[in-house]
Amino acid sequence: MKKLILTALLAVSGAMAADTLNIYTARHYDADAKLYDLFTQQTGIKVKATQAKVEELLKKLEIEGENSPADIFITADVSNLAQAKNLGVLAPINSQKLNEVVPASLRDSDGSWYAITKRARVIVYDKTKTKNPSVKNYEDLAKPEYKGKLLVRSSGSAYQKSLLASIIVADGEKEAKNWAAGVASNLAQAPKGGDRDQAKALINGDLGAQYAIMNTYYIGLMLNSKNPKDVEVAQKLGIIFPNQANRGTHVNISGAGVTKSSKDKAAAQKFVEFLLTPEAQAILTNINYEYPVNPAVAPNHVVSGFGKFKEDKTPLDKVAKEVKNAVLIYNEVGFR
Ligand code: FE2
């Protein structure tokens, strides 16, 4: 009898529309809280976000399995999205709205995840010191003439893994390995800190470094920082969009997917669709200085001020498949 009642209760709760969506998010940006509020205003559905490191969230989703309260998984970096898919914690959705707005290269082929924002991984230099930067392509950074001139964060960063994965796709494994070895031997110091720290060391450091690799949105955040020292650093940065004469600059994404455990997949899908609406996309670009995925939305003026550029349009799920190889290569060449 008890069992029967429980089953009936589960059936009712399963069929009921959610009044709260649970979001597991590895993004750590102020823009996102604003988004949740707007979604609640528009739909009456509350949003509860659990924010943690991506490894923790993936482990949580895996352990909780079908009983996970999560409806939606959000993270930066395509390799993290691909990993969630490979763990089997995402439920593919087929949304005409999403398929229309998100280009095929920026979503999973079976609808497990969709890009919500883009960021370009660019090369920066000190424009008060360097007038005609000689670097044009990512590949240039491996040349011996740049010995001791580069600042790059650790290869453990998802951004660096995806960048190398994109080079594997473009140039092949052998060339990619030469690249990683070349860049490792050109570093001005052992990798430490995040992208912003590379920019600070480039502008303020006494390492004699000439180039650093960073994501565009960090430049936007620094330009608009409350810390005047960050603003000063960012104002001196010249931006090189690499590989403009060939495949284009590597673009990475933040993305979202509906979880397999979601008890209200229709509401969860609605939330992902909401993230791609012009209103939501405007919040994302205006607060976090990312590029909108929805072509109807113009980037924040700070972002468009970085200049127009050609994007590498290699499908990101193809890039994600090379992330494992990228990690092996970094280990092999001793790039920490
Ligand atoms: Fe980041």
Side-chain angles (χ1 to χ4, degrees), residues 48-173:
K48 187 174 168 248
T50 302
Q51 201 260 313
K53 288 206 166 120
V54 67
E55 299 81 16
E56 286 169 39
L57 291 178
L58 289 174
K59 194 166 279 174
K60 209 165 143 68
L61 281 167
E62 224 190 338
I63 292 170
E64 291 170 347
E66 290 290 309
N67 299 320
S68 175
D71 296 290
I72 291 141
F73 173 66
I74 301 179
T75 182
D77 197 275
V78 64
S79 68
N80 294 329
L81 291 161
Q83 206 188 333
K85 180 188 171 172
N86 293 339
L87 288 173
V89 298
L90 298 179
I93 53 175
N94 192 359
S95 157
Q96 205 188 330
K97 273 186 196 162
L98 290 172
N99 292 346
E100 271 168 22
V101 174
V102 183
S105 62
L106 301 179
R107 53 180 150 93
D108 180 48
S109 50
D110 78 356
S112 287
W113 49 260
Y114 292 82
I116 60 170
T117 62
K118 298 185 285 189
R119 58 283 292 281
R121 196 133 183 87
V122 293
I123 300 168
V124 293
Y125 61 97
D126 185 337
K127 62 184 176 193
T128 67
K129 289 185 187 146
T130 304
K131 294 299 167 200
N132 293 305
S134 46
V135 166
K136 302 274 181 256
N137 300 315
Y138 295 112
E139 285 79 357
D140 294 335
L141 297 176
K143 291 178 180 170
E145 64 198 84
Y146 299 114
K147 197 155 211 76
K149 302 288 182 200
L150 309 185
L151 288 160
V152 184
R153 74 189 297 171
S154 154
S155 69
S157 145
Y159 305 145
Q160 282 302 108
K161 292 180 198 169
S162 295
L163 174 60
L164 181 55
S166 79
I167 293 172
I168 296 173
V169 173
D171 300 339
E173 234 176 272

Side-chain angles (χ1 to χ4, degrees), residues 28-29 76 119 153 159 195-196 215 217-218 221 288:
H28 50 90
Y29 314 129
R119 58 283 292 281
R153 74 189 297 171
Y159 305 145
D195 282 2
R196 278 173 282 209
N215 283 348
Y217 73 92
Y218 287 119
L221 287 171
N288 205 44

